[in-house]
Amino acid sequence: MCDQTFMAITFGPCDNCSTTSPLMNIYIKNEPTNYCSFCVEMMACQGLLKGETLASLKNESESLKKKLEEERAKLHDVELHQVAEKIEVVSALSIKTRRVLKGHGNKVLCMDWCKDKRRLVSSSQDGKVIVWDGFTLNKEHAVPMPCTWVMACAYAPSGCAIACGGLDNKCSVYPLSLDKNENLAAKKKSVAMHTNYLSGCTFTNSDMQILTSSGDGTCALWDVESGQLLQSFHGHTADVLSLDLAPSETGNTFVSGGCDKKANVWDMRSGQNVQSFETHESDINCVKYYPSGDAFASASDDATCRLYDLRADREVAVYQKDSIIFGVSSLDFSLSGRLLFGGYNDYTINIWDVLKGNRVSMLFGHENRVSTVKVSPDGTSVCSASWDNTLRIWA
Amino acid sequence: MTIKNAMRDHGQRYRPRMACLKKVGSAVLLEMQDPKTGVKSQLQRLVITTIPHAITGEDIVAWLANKFNISAEEGRSLGTMLVALGYIYPLQDHKRLVVKPDASLYRFQTPYFWPAQQWPVEDTDYAIYLAKRNIRKKGILELYEQEQYNHLHKWMNHKWDFIVMQAKEQYRAGKERKKPDRAVFDCQERAYWVVHRPPPGTVSGMDYGLDRLIDPNAEEVTETDLIFLTFLWLPSLSCFLPRVKSSVSIGALVKFVTTHKNHDPFLAQCLPSNPWVTDDVSYWTLNMANVEIPTKMRVERWTFSFVELLEDPRGRDDFRFFLKKEFSGENLAFWEGCEDLKWGAAAGMSEKAQHIYKTFLARGAPRWINIDGTTMEATVRGLKHPHRYVLDAAQTHIFMLMKKDSYGRYLKSQVFKDTTKNAINPEEQKFTDAQLDQNARNRRPSLSPIAIRQMELEQKAKLAASGPVDITQVMSKLSKQGKDAPPPPPPKK
């Protein structure tokens, strides 16, 4: 459980500007110091380390990377599939399409479940965001966004608001209303502002904060009411395509994956990048935490899904098959963490046995790429959104 | 159709597909075309000529299923993707880029027209192609092609002479080829354009969505990034992280699966039934957030970990009830207050922090919590400049206290025993086909979360208005009567 490994986070006066704030531990000329995140950025931008050349920096970072790998390898004493040998095999699954949600006029790019386990919100390329009751197929709300390619949408934990964004570079929060005639667009609150497209957004444990990831390479934490930027996260060197919040209520971390092939784990309080994994061969399209919070999986254009153990700090499994040559756009775990659902660009969903590493089943039905796959909050079904303009609920 | 912005073309269109195209092109396609071990090929008879190397859809599917050891359905899906990308093209029904698992004929596309090639698919080339076909026989263009042609004619008017000239050249060069070669080339070229300029209403395999910002062909690491990397991220990643042996952490992952196995609706039967499968919502009704009597499965999850108990509102209520009986409810209340501070709105945060301090931490506070001296000192110091994480250390301390002490006692307590005894264990409910049909017809909407929240707010307002029993007053009264342990001495400064 997350409570066993705590990053020693210091709060206090910055060694440079003396303002009290969460501090990041950094090394300047091999001396450990504590800077607030603002001073860290200033330092990097001013190039205080003028004695270094680009080449010497590259060499140093290469040797540090090697040292990191050596440290990781020291505690590597067993493989996942070895431990999984004693576990019984997953019995045959009989999963079928139970609902087909039609109503979007164009590619469905993203979806999110409501905590009530039956409602969901979906967003599409033509700018429409629809809130559905998945069980009855009723469309409860429809919000027209001012931009196309709404790539991110999220349902608030209370079920009373939704957040969405895309090519408008913003994340906007819409409070939902029981009044069918109310114009939801009028109550819109622009919360997040990025300098490029919004790729992912999620509410934290309440309706008051949202976490966003963007094509500009950063993630950020925002206060919904005031639109204030609470914390920004720098570390990716390319578009960030996805993020996921750690599941436990005592966890304060989240993971993000991007086009620089890196999956980074961040501390929400200090903005610090606490862990990083770079084993994929292409863009990471989606990252998701394992239900216990001690591991996460990532989906990439290199047609593999990979599982990373956070406490051992390494990759522990790769889910791939010769016949699977198309990129994975999205993935999610079943409730127990035994099954991994992956939505692929070849219009199929593959279901993997997380522990043994083999594919258990395949789901056919979509007529274009699967863009998002999410298991419902109580694990009773999985919903897939696709570029064929529909969503399907499978159980 | 938009005119492409030539300046921004970093080969972006290939980025989201690059990895898989390499695999397809280099490995699979070559093997498929192997004369001995590849797909069986045959002759296609046209009116006068015969064209070699035609393959049937069913042979494609069979070969793929055999090569990758997959089902026929998957083989068909994979074959369809190869056709959609333009590596194989259909000879009949050329506008539908799918693999039909029957005797329909296909042919391998020449590598010249493979999608992995590095030059962009230009509108100019498309214009030349359409013009060429127009020259060969007027009126041969389909409606959508005619529309594209007119559009291109309008937008490329300035180079139309060049386009017509190129078209005439290509047409002339084509006439000099032998008839079979010409027929094959025409097919290949037509297939190429079906892939890259799909007819309306079809799904395009070339459609990859939005461009990503990074240039895939450059090693773009800026100096700033390198500085960050070398002095900030990499050192902290190596040194600060308390790593654990693989056997320990992997063991924990496996243990999680084993304990939760029976609770996973995909692996074990949902009782009484999975609402999505049978259209019967009993499962959801029995497991609502504030239900009076929980199910046995739900109660079992509370025993897995303290966090599972807290995360379930019904479990937390049960725990709170137990703590009330033990007169140690302030720990949970403090923890909830800290959560509210962390995740709450930025406005009013310092007031919240002060309120929590006055209620739980200050000397003589009505609901004083017991934390060690160092943590208390650090917290009080931090409260001078409150931020949302100022109570983190204290919260962690209290959380561990509850986890290591109260949680264990709760699981052995009478409260928990009673809850377990009364918990419902629903039977599996099987439905006949007729009943399932009826269930499907009777799907009802549920109460909206918005309505639920409104009701909760109204209830809170009612309670506040009617003046409830203030637990803090009760506590202080009880302690005065000596029924409680004497209050602990105030922390030394």
Side-chain angles (χ1 to χ4, degrees), chain A residues 21-62:
Chain A
S21 68
L23 300 175
M24 296 168 85
N25 316 98
I26 59 166
Y27 286 79
I28 299 185
K29 302 228 182 303
N30 292 323
E31 285 294 314
T33 22
N34 290 331
Y35 271 23
C36 68
S37 42
F38 179 68
C39 288
V40 168
E41 299 216 23
M42 288 293 294
M43 178 202 84
C45 295
Q46 280 160 19
L48 285 175
L49 314 130
K50 284 204 181 88
E52 308 279 350
T53 63
L54 210 61
S56 71
L57 278 177
K58 272 200 186 137
N59 283 339
E60 200 165 338
S61 73
E62 287 306 310

Side-chain angles (χ1 to χ4, degrees), chain B residues 134 182 412 463 466:
Chain B
N134 219 13
R182 192 172 359 131
K412 300 196 191 94
L463 279 177
S466 69

Side-chain angles (χ1 to χ4, degrees), chain B residues 381-438:
Chain B
R381 233 196 353 256
L383 278 164
K384 291 204 177 69
H385 308 277
H387 52 85
R388 61 186 56 244
Y389 306 114
V390 68
L391 298 172
D392 235 33
Q395 183 185 6
T396 313
H397 181 96
I398 291 294
F399 180 81
M400 293 308 249
L401 198 69
M402 287 196 291
K403 180 175 161 185
K404 296 206 159 87
D405 183 37
S406 318
Y407 179 53
R409 282 187 288 111
Y410 164 71
L411 292 178
K412 300 196 191 94
S413 72
Q414 193 57 42
V415 170
F416 184 68
K417 286 205 179 88
D418 288 341
T419 310
T420 318
K421 199 171 68 175
N422 296 331
I424 310 172
N425 202 6
E427 293 272 307
E428 185 191 342
Q429 190 167 16
K430 287 205 193 302
F431 295 92
T432 62
D433 283 342
Q435 285 171 323
L436 287 174
D437 280 339
Q438 181 149 45

Side-chain angles (χ1 to χ4, degrees), chain A residues 78-87, chain B residues 246-247 250-251 254:
Chain A
V78 77
E79 298 286 341
L80 175 61
H81 62 83
Q82 286 172 301
V83 182
E85 266 162 24
K86 313 173 208 138
I87 314 270
Chain B
S246 289
S247 48
I250 292 180
V254 172

Side-chain angles (χ1 to χ4, degrees), chain B residues 290 451-461:
Chain B
N290 43 12
I452 297 177
R453 190 202 237 181
Q454 272 177 359
M455 294 195 312
E456 282 175 2
L457 289 174
E458 279 167 18
Q459 211 174 29
K460 270 195 195 149

